[in-house]
mmCIF file of all heavy atoms in Angstrom:
data_model
loop_
_atom_site.group_PDB
_atom_site.id
_atom_site.type_symbol
_atom_site.label_atom_id
_atom_site.label_comp_id
_atom_site.label_asym_id
_atom_site.label_seq_id
_atom_site.Cartn_x
_atom_site.Cartn_y
_atom_site.Cartn_z
ATOM 1 N N MET A 16 -9.877 16.437 -12.713
ATOM 2 C CA MET A 16 -8.745 15.571 -12.996
ATOM 3 C C MET A 16 -9.081 14.576 -14.111
ATOM 4 O O MET A 16 -8.293 14.358 -15.037
ATOM 5 C CB MET A 16 -8.332 14.822 -11.727
ATOM 6 C CG MET A 16 -7.082 13.966 -11.873
ATOM 7 S SD MET A 16 -6.658 13.103 -10.336
ATOM 8 C CE MET A 16 -6.192 14.503 -9.311
ATOM 9 N N GLN A 67 -1.700 8.948 1.987
ATOM 10 C CA GLN A 67 -0.742 8.012 2.571
ATOM 11 C C GLN A 67 -0.983 6.599 2.061
ATOM 12 O O GLN A 67 -0.036 5.842 1.818
ATOM 13 C CB GLN A 67 -0.839 8.065 4.099
ATOM 14 C CG GLN A 67 -0.393 9.383 4.698
ATOM 15 C CD GLN A 67 -0.597 9.453 6.201
ATOM 16 O OE1 GLN A 67 -1.504 8.852 6.743
ATOM 17 N NE2 GLN A 67 0.250 10.201 6.879
ATOM 18 N N GLU A 79 5.589 8.740 -10.220
ATOM 19 C CA GLU A 79 5.356 10.160 -10.004
ATOM 20 C C GLU A 79 4.337 10.395 -8.885
ATOM 21 O O GLU A 79 4.449 11.348 -8.107
ATOM 22 C CB GLU A 79 4.849 10.825 -11.290
ATOM 23 C CG GLU A 79 5.859 10.888 -12.412
ATOM 24 C CD GLU A 79 5.893 9.628 -13.253
ATOM 25 O OE1 GLU A 79 5.164 8.664 -12.911
ATOM 26 O OE2 GLU A 79 6.632 9.590 -14.245
ATOM 27 N N VAL A 91 -2.232 18.281 11.349
ATOM 28 C CA VAL A 91 -3.195 19.339 11.047
ATOM 29 C C VAL A 91 -3.383 20.189 12.305
ATOM 30 O O VAL A 91 -3.033 19.766 13.412
ATOM 31 C CB VAL A 91 -4.546 18.750 10.593
ATOM 32 C CG1 VAL A 91 -4.398 18.003 9.292
ATOM 33 C CG2 VAL A 91 -5.112 17.815 11.657
ATOM 34 N N PRO A 120 -4.231 21.183 28.280
ATOM 35 C CA PRO A 120 -5.099 21.567 27.153
ATOM 36 C C PRO A 120 -4.355 21.560 25.809
ATOM 37 O O PRO A 120 -4.943 21.265 24.774
ATOM 38 C CB PRO A 120 -5.559 22.987 27.512
ATOM 39 C CG PRO A 120 -5.301 23.118 28.976
ATOM 40 C CD PRO A 120 -4.113 22.269 29.261
ATOM 41 N N VAL A 131 -3.621 13.960 20.749
ATOM 42 C CA VAL A 131 -3.126 13.354 21.983
ATOM 43 C C VAL A 131 -2.810 14.435 23.006
ATOM 44 O O VAL A 131 -2.164 15.446 22.680
ATOM 45 C CB VAL A 131 -1.857 12.510 21.703
ATOM 46 C CG1 VAL A 131 -1.322 11.914 22.997
ATOM 47 C CG2 VAL A 131 -2.160 11.419 20.694
ATOM 48 N N VAL A 159 -0.088 9.755 32.148
ATOM 49 C CA VAL A 159 -0.712 9.097 31.008
ATOM 50 C C VAL A 159 -0.848 10.063 29.829
ATOM 51 O O VAL A 159 -0.660 11.275 29.970
ATOM 52 C CB VAL A 159 -2.119 8.550 31.371
ATOM 53 C CG1 VAL A 159 -2.030 7.485 32.442
ATOM 54 C CG2 VAL A 159 -3.049 9.683 31.806
ATOM 55 N N LEU A 188 -15.169 2.715 -15.198
ATOM 56 C CA LEU A 188 -15.662 2.832 -16.575
ATOM 57 C C LEU A 188 -14.512 2.853 -17.586
ATOM 58 O O LEU A 188 -14.732 2.605 -18.772
ATOM 59 C CB LEU A 188 -16.506 4.104 -16.740
ATOM 60 C CG LEU A 188 -17.781 4.177 -15.873
ATOM 61 C CD1 LEU A 188 -18.459 5.527 -16.060
ATOM 62 C CD2 LEU A 188 -18.738 3.052 -16.244
ATOM 63 N N SER A 278 20.360 -1.700 14.731
ATOM 64 C CA SER A 278 20.313 -3.170 14.737
ATOM 65 C C SER A 278 19.069 -3.683 15.463
ATOM 66 O O SER A 278 18.368 -4.562 14.960
ATOM 67 C CB SER A 278 21.571 -3.732 15.406
ATOM 68 O OG SER A 278 22.724 -3.405 14.667
ATOM 69 N N ASN A 291 6.216 -13.493 14.666
ATOM 70 C CA ASN A 291 4.930 -13.231 15.307
ATOM 71 C C ASN A 291 3.763 -13.184 14.332
ATOM 72 O O ASN A 291 2.624 -13.450 14.700
ATOM 73 C CB ASN A 291 4.989 -11.907 16.081
ATOM 74 C CG ASN A 291 6.093 -11.890 17.119
ATOM 75 O OD1 ASN A 291 6.558 -12.933 17.547
ATOM 76 N ND2 ASN A 291 6.517 -10.712 17.531
ATOM 77 N N LEU A 323 13.624 0.157 23.277
ATOM 78 C CA LEU A 323 13.011 0.636 22.041
ATOM 79 C C LEU A 323 11.502 0.683 22.294
ATOM 80 O O LEU A 323 10.880 -0.342 22.560
ATOM 81 C CB LEU A 323 13.340 -0.310 20.882
ATOM 82 C CG LEU A 323 12.772 0.078 19.518
ATOM 83 C CD1 LEU A 323 13.332 1.415 19.049
ATOM 84 C CD2 LEU A 323 13.083 -1.012 18.485
ATOM 85 N N ASP A 374 1.127 -16.809 -18.509
ATOM 86 C CA ASP A 374 2.272 -17.233 -19.327
ATOM 87 C C ASP A 374 3.303 -16.114 -19.431
ATOM 88 O O ASP A 374 4.511 -16.354 -19.344
ATOM 89 C CB ASP A 374 1.794 -17.633 -20.732
ATOM 90 C CG ASP A 374 0.958 -18.902 -20.714
ATOM 91 O OD1 ASP A 374 1.130 -19.693 -19.763
ATOM 92 O OD2 ASP A 374 0.135 -19.096 -21.616
ATOM 93 N N ILE A 376 3.785 -13.611 -17.317
ATOM 94 C CA ILE A 376 4.408 -13.409 -16.015
ATOM 95 C C ILE A 376 5.442 -14.502 -15.756
ATOM 96 O O ILE A 376 6.527 -14.252 -15.224
ATOM 97 C CB ILE A 376 3.347 -13.390 -14.903
ATOM 98 C CG1 ILE A 376 2.405 -12.194 -15.093
ATOM 99 C CG2 ILE A 376 3.997 -13.322 -13.528
ATOM 100 C CD1 ILE A 376 1.211 -12.195 -14.176
ATOM 101 N N PHE A 384 15.369 -15.165 -13.248
ATOM 102 C CA PHE A 384 16.276 -16.231 -12.810
ATOM 103 C C PHE A 384 17.557 -16.205 -13.644
ATOM 104 O O PHE A 384 18.657 -16.397 -13.132
ATOM 105 C CB PHE A 384 15.598 -17.589 -12.932
ATOM 106 C CG PHE A 384 14.611 -17.875 -11.840
ATOM 107 C CD1 PHE A 384 13.344 -18.365 -12.127
ATOM 108 C CD2 PHE A 384 14.937 -17.665 -10.513
ATOM 109 C CE1 PHE A 384 12.431 -18.631 -11.125
ATOM 110 C CE2 PHE A 384 14.035 -17.923 -9.493
ATOM 111 C CZ PHE A 384 12.774 -18.412 -9.812
ATOM 112 N N GLU A 385 17.425 -15.984 -14.955
ATOM 113 C CA GLU A 385 18.597 -15.943 -15.834
ATOM 114 C C GLU A 385 19.563 -14.852 -15.389
ATOM 115 O O GLU A 385 20.778 -15.001 -15.482
ATOM 116 C CB GLU A 385 18.153 -15.685 -17.277
ATOM 117 C CG GLU A 385 17.430 -16.861 -17.919
ATOM 118 C CD GLU A 385 16.920 -16.516 -19.309
ATOM 119 O OE1 GLU A 385 17.287 -15.427 -19.818
ATOM 120 O OE2 GLU A 385 16.148 -17.302 -19.881
ATOM 121 N N ASP A 399 25.514 -2.569 -3.120
ATOM 122 C CA ASP A 399 25.185 -1.329 -2.428
ATOM 123 C C ASP A 399 23.668 -1.160 -2.353
ATOM 124 O O ASP A 399 22.957 -1.401 -3.332
ATOM 125 C CB ASP A 399 25.804 -0.136 -3.172
ATOM 126 C CG ASP A 399 25.620 1.159 -2.415
ATOM 127 O OD1 ASP A 399 26.440 1.453 -1.527
ATOM 128 O OD2 ASP A 399 24.650 1.873 -2.704
ATOM 129 N N VAL A 421 -1.122 -5.886 -5.130
ATOM 130 C CA VAL A 421 -0.605 -6.548 -3.938
ATOM 131 C C VAL A 421 -1.554 -6.303 -2.767
ATOM 132 O O VAL A 421 -1.978 -5.173 -2.542
ATOM 133 C CB VAL A 421 0.806 -6.012 -3.599
ATOM 134 C CG1 VAL A 421 1.386 -6.751 -2.408
ATOM 135 C CG2 VAL A 421 1.718 -6.154 -4.812
ATOM 136 N N GLY A 433 10.941 -0.922 3.802
ATOM 137 C CA GLY A 433 11.546 0.200 3.096
ATOM 138 C C GLY A 433 11.838 1.369 4.018
ATOM 139 O O GLY A 433 12.932 1.952 3.996
ATOM 140 N N GLU A 450 22.937 -8.081 6.221
ATOM 141 C CA GLU A 450 23.531 -8.886 7.287
ATOM 142 C C GLU A 450 22.485 -9.298 8.325
ATOM 143 O O GLU A 450 22.648 -10.303 9.017
ATOM 144 C CB GLU A 450 24.661 -8.103 7.960
ATOM 145 C CG GLU A 450 25.883 -7.911 7.067
ATOM 146 C CD GLU A 450 26.957 -7.082 7.744
ATOM 147 O OE1 GLU A 450 26.691 -6.595 8.877
ATOM 148 O OE2 GLU A 450 28.039 -6.909 7.159
ATOM 149 N N ALA A 461 15.580 -23.185 6.466
ATOM 150 C CA ALA A 461 15.717 -24.383 7.309
ATOM 151 C C ALA A 461 14.352 -24.978 7.621
ATOM 152 O O ALA A 461 14.166 -26.198 7.607
ATOM 153 C CB ALA A 461 16.445 -24.027 8.600
ATOM 154 N N LEU A 493 -6.227 -36.018 -30.268
ATOM 155 C CA LEU A 493 -6.400 -36.538 -31.629
ATOM 156 C C LEU A 493 -7.842 -36.353 -32.108
ATOM 157 O O LEU A 493 -8.092 -36.005 -33.263
ATOM 158 C CB LEU A 493 -6.015 -38.023 -31.673
ATOM 159 C CG LEU A 493 -4.516 -38.340 -31.507
ATOM 160 C CD1 LEU A 493 -4.305 -39.852 -31.489
ATOM 161 C CD2 LEU A 493 -3.713 -37.711 -32.645
ATOM 162 N N GLY A 520 -7.938 -0.929 -40.806
ATOM 163 C CA GLY A 520 -9.226 -0.269 -40.570
ATOM 164 C C GLY A 520 -9.110 1.230 -40.683
ATOM 165 O O GLY A 520 -9.973 1.902 -41.269
ATOM 166 N N HIS A 541 -21.467 22.158 -57.531
ATOM 167 C CA HIS A 541 -22.431 22.049 -58.629
ATOM 168 C C HIS A 541 -23.834 22.441 -58.180
ATOM 169 O O HIS A 541 -24.801 22.246 -58.925
ATOM 170 C CB HIS A 541 -22.439 20.619 -59.188
ATOM 171 C CG HIS A 541 -21.243 20.334 -60.070
ATOM 172 N ND1 HIS A 541 -20.025 19.967 -59.544
ATOM 173 C CD2 HIS A 541 -21.079 20.386 -61.425
ATOM 174 C CE1 HIS A 541 -19.162 19.777 -60.536
ATOM 175 N NE2 HIS A 541 -19.781 20.032 -61.703
ATOM 176 N N TRP A 560 -15.479 7.973 -36.381
ATOM 177 C CA TRP A 560 -15.110 6.554 -36.306
ATOM 178 C C TRP A 560 -13.588 6.396 -36.314
ATOM 179 O O TRP A 560 -13.028 5.586 -35.574
ATOM 180 C CB TRP A 560 -15.739 5.823 -37.481
ATOM 181 C CG TRP A 560 -15.436 4.343 -37.498
ATOM 182 C CD1 TRP A 560 -16.064 3.367 -36.808
ATOM 183 C CD2 TRP A 560 -14.401 3.689 -38.268
ATOM 184 N NE1 TRP A 560 -15.512 2.145 -37.087
ATOM 185 C CE2 TRP A 560 -14.495 2.306 -37.979
ATOM 186 C CE3 TRP A 560 -13.436 4.126 -39.181
ATOM 187 C CZ2 TRP A 560 -13.650 1.372 -38.553
ATOM 188 C CZ3 TRP A 560 -12.598 3.200 -39.751
ATOM 189 C CH2 TRP A 560 -12.698 1.838 -39.448
#
Side-chain angles (χ1 to χ4, degrees):
M16 185 180 292
Q67 293 176 329
E79 292 85 356
V91 295
V131 178
V159 297
L188 298 176
S278 296
N291 303 339
L323 181 62
D374 292 336
I376 296 172
F384 283 132
E385 289 176 9
D399 186 85
V421 183
E450 291 178 355
L493 290 177
H541 283 83
W560 181 82

